[in-house]
């Protein structure tokens, strides 16, 4: 049974990175067979949608050219769409077009630049907020008022997309994308203001660095807790986000996130 059909149960977007260098699952699903198998598992665990990505956007990640990104994601999407809904996690119009031709129906766009592509292709679009570029975004993120600035940006981009004719527009505050530890916490604390913008909100905190730091403090260890050991922090923040009104969370640990969503809804 999946959570996708009920509007009252928050949805879970399962993460499938077909990359050698993603921060928590890099290299595990680079082979198409392994990627498809994992995607099918995530659907079975209750994911409403699987987000396929061919370029890591972790801080400092090296950019990938469009041809290589397409080579990674298209064979996986073509096979995965038989099992459920697929989104493409990309910043490149060529990759978005190839992914939609392969069957993806949502463009998850961390650059928030591709709304005309989504309008043209007649698919959904996620506008995520990012300050700067992945290569340098964590060098010195600066805001006067992070919550107000992120809200204003997302509201403008969503309105632009709606005017262009995109009928399914999601907004995402972009946890960890050009944000300090405190910026991330401020955005989570005031997530109700993002929800109040009136569009469905997606939140991606899964296994991210801010959690590694909080969990290290809780374990009284000096170094951030390893990404694969951040489940409790991921679920805590996902529950918080769902309770504040997020309609979907983007998660590596789909089974636990789906269970959490059901408990929150109950
Ligand atoms: N986070 C990542 C990638 N894409 N998309 C949205 N909408 N929101 C997010 O928070 C988000 C995202 C980064 O996580 P991951 O895909 O696990 O890592 P990497 O970028 O290293 O592949």
């Amino acid at each position: 049974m999946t959570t996708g059909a009920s509007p009252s149960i928050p949805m879970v977007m399962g993460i499938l990175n077909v990359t050698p260098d993603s921060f928590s699952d890099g290299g595990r699903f680079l082979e198409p067979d392994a990627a498809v198998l994992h995607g099918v598992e995530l659907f079975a665990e209750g994911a409403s949608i699987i987000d396929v990505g061919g370029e890591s956007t972790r801080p400092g990640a090296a950019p990938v050219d469009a041809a290589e990104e397409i080579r990674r994601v298209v064979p996986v999407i073509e096979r995965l769409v038989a099992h459920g809904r697929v989104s493409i996690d990309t910043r490149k119009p060529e990759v978005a077009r190839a992914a939609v031709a392969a069957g993806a129906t949502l463009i998850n766009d961390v650059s928030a630049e591709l709304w005309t592509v989504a309008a043209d292709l007649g698919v959904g679009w996620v506008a995520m907020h990012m300050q700067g570029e992945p290569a340098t975004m964590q060098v010195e993120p600066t805001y006067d008022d992070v919550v107000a600035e992120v809200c204003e940006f997302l509201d403008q981009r969503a309105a632009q997309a709606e005017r262009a004719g995109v009928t399914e527009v999601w907004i995402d505050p972009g946890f960890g994308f050009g944000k300090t530890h405190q910026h991330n916490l401020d955005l989570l604390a005031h997530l109700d203001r993002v929800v109040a913008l009136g569009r469905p909100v997606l939140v991606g905190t899964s296994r991210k660095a801010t959690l590694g730091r909080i969990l290290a403090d809780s374990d009284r260890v000096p170094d951030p807790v390893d990404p694969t050991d951040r489940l409790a922090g991921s679920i805590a923040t996902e529950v918080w986000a769902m309770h504040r009104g997020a309609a979907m969370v983007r998660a590596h640990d789909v089974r636990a996130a789906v269970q959490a969503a059901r408990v929150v809804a109950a």
Side-chain angles (χ1 to χ4, degrees), residues 111-136:
S111 72
E113 301 275 359
L114 303 183
W115 69 90
T116 54
V117 179
D120 186 31
L121 297 174
V123 295
W125 181 62
V126 179
M128 196 201 77
H129 177 275
M130 166 165 65
Q131 186 180 81
E133 288 287 313
T136 53

Side-chain angles (χ1 to χ4, degrees), residues 13-168:
M13 169 185 267
I15 299 171
L16 181 55
N17 287 316
V18 192
T19 60
D21 57 344
S22 288
F23 79 93
S24 96
D25 56 359
R28 286 190 60 202
F29 309 115
L30 199 50
E31 287 302 317
D33 285 351
V36 172
L37 200 64
H38 187 58
V40 172
E41 270 167 18
L42 297 183
F43 278 131
E45 289 179 1
S48 295
I49 184 160
I50 303 291
D51 190 38
V52 178
E55 178 189 49
S56 172
T57 47
R58 72 184 156 72
V64 173
D65 70 41
E68 172 62 13
E69 207 177 316
I70 289 170
R71 196 190 63 73
R72 290 178 186 173
V73 296
V74 163
V76 176
I77 295 170
E78 278 172 347
R79 288 165 60 189
L80 210 50
V81 291
H83 302 270
R85 191 174 188 203
V86 172
S87 63
I88 174 67
D89 184 358
T90 190
R91 302 183 283 156
K92 299 188 186 74
E94 312 90 294
V95 178
R97 287 182 185 281
V100 170
T105 58
L106 181 66
I107 301 173
N108 175 26
D109 175 12
V110 303
S111 72
E113 301 275 359
L114 303 183
W115 69 90
T116 54
V117 179
D120 186 31
L121 297 174
V123 295
W125 181 62
V126 179
M128 196 201 77
H129 177 275
M130 166 165 65
Q131 186 180 81
E133 288 287 313
T136 53
M137 66 191 177
Q138 291 308 108
V139 174
E140 204 177 338
T142 310
Y143 302 83
D144 289 328
D145 178 339
V146 66
V147 179
E149 287 170 47
V150 167
C151 284
E152 192 187 342
F153 175 86
L154 293 176
D155 196 36
Q156 280 175 0
R157 289 296 159 109
Q160 249 165 339
E162 286 154 4
R163 278 197 298 275
V166 184
T167 54
E168 180 188 2

